């Protein structure tokens, strides 16, 4: 927030400290890409961490896709209910409903 960043612990690996600092660059164009970050972590022997992170990321993506699917189904159901309600009310309300 407000440009503040957490302190990097003194016992942090130097390459991680450098990587964190690069990730916090104000200009997004200067920040490393996700692929670059993963490559750096892999090159330093963090491939197990990378795999755990990627599995977690995949679970989040799967959950988001399920939410999107559920939202689409709910939207479709709501649309169908709106049409059914309009069709059932139209004969009783006539022109008042059509004007809305």
């Amino acid at each position: 927030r407000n440009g503040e960043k957490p302190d990097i612990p003194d016992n942090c690996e130097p390459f991680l400290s450098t990587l964190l600092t690069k990730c916090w660059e104000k200009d997004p164009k200067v920040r490393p890409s996700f692929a670059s970050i993963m490559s750096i972590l892999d090159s330093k022997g963090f491939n197990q961490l990378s795999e755990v992170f990627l599995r977690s990321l995949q679970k989040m993506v799967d959950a988001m896709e399920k939410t999107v699917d559920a939202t689409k189904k709910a939207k479709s159901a709501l649309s169908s209910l709106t049409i059914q309600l309009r069709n059932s009310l139209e004969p009783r309300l006539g022109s008042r409903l059509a004007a809305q």
Side-chain angles (χ1 to χ4, degrees):
R1 285 185 188 172
N2 301 324
E4 296 178 27
K5 294 156 186 73
D7 292 331
I8 297 174
D10 293 334
N11 62 347
C12 182
E13 292 286 337
F15 85 92
L16 281 176
S17 177
T18 301
L19 181 60
L20 286 170
T21 303
K22 288 179 181 179
C23 290
W24 292 337
E25 285 289 336
K26 193 170 190 165
D27 182 357
K29 294 175 186 173
V30 179
R31 296 178 200 148
S33 67
F34 182 76
S36 175
I37 292 169
M38 296 307 292
S39 177
I40 292 167
L41 291 175
D42 283 344
S43 73
K44 298 295 184 177
F46 279 74
N47 49 2
Q48 286 182 321
L49 176 64
S50 302
E51 290 172 24
V52 169
F53 179 75
L54 288 174
R55 280 196 300 271
S56 297
L57 186 60
Q58 186 61 53
K59 286 180 183 178
M60 290 188 321
V61 169
D62 291 345
M64 285 188 272
E65 287 174 350
K66 286 180 184 178
T67 300
V68 168
D69 289 342
T71 302
K72 286 178 182 177
K73 288 177 184 175
K75 182 180 177 184
S76 177
L78 183 57
S79 179
S80 294
L81 287 172
T82 301
I83 291 168
Q84 290 174 6
L85 182 60
R86 182 175 287 278
N87 290 340
S88 69
L89 292 176
E90 199 166 31
R92 291 181 236 165
L93 298 177
S95 61
R96 287 183 287 173
L97 186 62
Q100 294 181 352

